[in-house]
Amino acid sequence: MSMIERLREYAEHETPTGAADALNAFADRLVRRYGELGGTARRVPAPTGDHVVADFPGRGPRADDAPLLFLAHHDTVWPIGQLERMPWREEDGVIHGPGVFDMKGGLVVLETALEQVADDDRRPVRAIVTADEEVGSPSARELVTAESAGVVAAFGLEPPHPNGDLKTSRRGSTRVRIEVAGREAHAALDASSGVSAIDELVDQLIAVRTLVSQYENVLCNVGTIMGGGRTNVVAGKAAAELGLRFVDPETERAVLDAVAGLRPVRPRAELDVRVISSRPAWQPSAPVDELLAKVAEAGRSVGQDVGGAAASGAADTNLTGWLGVPTLDGLGPLGKGAHAVHEQVIAATLPERAALVAAIIRSI
């Protein structure tokens, strides 16, 4: 099966975050595939969808060396049925479809690279494919931490920068939920006895914006808002989920402490602030620079120029980088439109990225 055929097969198996049955069926597919490639793979149970861990033995004099770790995920942001609205298609060397860029293309790249190095002397390889990366990997954090112990380096198969550069650091990313309980009342006949949870939530979001503005390089996005029910009823409940991103752990701690310290503006309003998921900031380091130099050398061996730069988005590589494991991300194919209806990959970069990953496995 060609890379494009396999990518189509993967994209047409829809796997939204939290759809446990769909994710588990895909995990079974990965376990079988990794077995075909000579690995020992297993599903790691999680309530919202199982993760996959696979180990591929080393060969020759490097068979007992510390393994290389590859990180990926099989969940996507797209709901079941998205294929009807953005069907798979290949036009002028560009592949379109839900999940092709983020990040089923990266899964196909790794599989192809493993095929290419099957008979080569090399280190062992370990792969972790998580099922809830798109919501911060809340059920996979302990797994990634445990399975990254003792590895020599970690590589993410997320999309690269637009020019193909790898990602050498990432902002920390934390999801926070703010819930407000007010008091329902008739909005005209008894408004004074009510407490609007919506009004309280609006004021709390303004307060968050104000405190975030006191720090440089902090991003804040209000991703969802919900609450109320009828225009003639004072809203009794409201909630919002925020995405916060940080360059360094000191700023992260200061902002999160301030958000946790929010207090109700209105008498009788109740406020609950909690962290839903958190990925620590992965900062630039000398070990990452050294790893990038080795990867650039591996790239030259297959006729590719490899560069690197910091990234704003978060991924599972945040955790390995934060833990001090030399880490690089962005080894997936080139394309654009992550989380957007124009999601796409450039078909020719699938084999190019596979050749680069294979060179990394052979040489690092």
Side-chain angles (χ1 to χ4, degrees):
M1 183 181 294
S2 71
M3 296 184 77
I4 292 176
E5 289 170 335
R6 191 167 300 279
L7 179 55
R8 179 170 188 170
E9 179 183 284
Y10 284 2
E12 291 184 341
H13 183 146
E14 295 178 292
T15 51
T17 309
D21 290 345
L23 288 160
N24 292 347
F26 196 96
D28 285 337
R29 186 192 296 270
L30 289 177
V31 168
R32 289 193 299 270
R33 179 63 179 144
Y34 292 152
E36 294 169 357
L37 293 168
T40 301
R42 57 190 168 91
R43 269 172 50 179
V44 179
T48 54
D50 292 356
H51 315 296
V52 174
V53 177
D55 283 289
F56 301 86
R59 289 177 55 88
R62 306 176 68 197
D64 295 326
D65 286 359
L68 296 176
L69 175 63
F70 287 88
L71 296 168
H73 64 90
H74 60 299
D75 64 320
T76 75
V77 300
W78 302 111
I80 298 291
Q82 187 66 26
L83 275 166
E84 297 177 8
R85 294 179 286 277
M86 49 185 293
W88 167 279
R89 71 183 195 279
E90 184 182 359
E91 297 175 354
D92 300 322
V94 178
I95 297 167
H96 304 257
V100 295
F101 186 52
D102 187 16
M103 62 157 290
K104 290 175 177 175
L107 291 171
V108 175
V109 163
L110 177 61
E111 293 177 17
T112 304
L114 289 168
E115 285 182 317
Q116 294 175 3
V117 302
D119 298 324
D120 296 333
D121 291 347
R122 54 175 174 79
R123 294 176 181 273
V125 170
R126 178 173 300 153
I128 305 173
V129 184
T130 61
D132 56 1
E133 189 277 338
E134 293 293 3
V135 293
S137 299
S139 74
R141 179 167 178 152
E142 291 184 6
L143 174 68
V144 173
T145 299
E147 296 295 338
S148 63
V151 303
V152 70
F155 298 94
L157 292 153
E158 293 279 2
H161 287 292
N163 66 351
D165 278 356
L166 303 185
K167 297 174 179 180
T168 57
S169 62
R170 287 185 176 278
R171 288 177 183 257
S173 176
T174 299
R175 292 168 61 233
V176 173
R177 182 176 176 86
I178 300 176
E179 292 185 354
V180 179
R183 181 177 177 180
E184 293 180 343
H186 194 292
L189 302 181
D190 195 23
S192 62
S193 70
V195 179
S196 173
I198 289 178
D199 287 350
E200 179 69 26
L201 179 62
V202 169
D203 286 342
Q204 294 296 335
L205 294 177
I206 292 171
V208 170
R209 287 289 184 187
T210 299
L211 76 86
V212 165
S213 69
Q214 300 171 25
Y215 298 87
E216 294 183 1
N217 299 316
V218 176
L219 303 179
C220 178
N221 178 59
V222 180
T224 62
I225 276 189
M226 59 215 80
R230 298 177 182 273
T231 57
N232 61 351
V233 178
V234 175
K237 293 186 181 298
E241 290 188 5
L242 288 66
L244 294 157
R245 297 182 186 269
F246 311 94
V247 172
D248 61 83
E250 294 78 19
T251 302
E252 178 179 19
R253 185 72 272 144
V255 171
L256 292 180
D257 285 348
V259 171
L262 292 171
R263 294 293 179 266
V265 174
R266 289 161 181 75
R268 298 180 293 157
E270 297 177 5
L271 191 64
D272 179 47
V273 181
R274 64 182 185 273
V275 171
I276 301 172
S277 66
S278 180
R279 289 178 171 136
W282 159 31
Q283 296 182 281
S285 68
V288 172
D289 292 340
E290 293 169 5
L291 181 61
L292 180 61
K294 293 177 181 177
V295 169
E297 184 177 353
R300 287 190 290 272
S301 74
V302 291
Q304 299 182 34
D305 292 326
V306 178
S312 293
D316 288 331
T317 44
N318 277 68
L319 186 55
T320 55
W322 175 74
L323 288 169
V325 178
T327 300
L328 291 170
D329 206 342
L331 284 164
L334 278 68
K336 62 182 179 181
H339 304 184
V341 292
H342 62 282
E343 183 173 5
Q344 59 190 258
V345 296
I346 301 170
T349 66
L350 285 162
E352 290 174 1
R353 282 320 225 202
L356 176 59
V357 171
I360 290 170
I361 295 172
R362 292 187 189 103
S363 62
I364 298 297

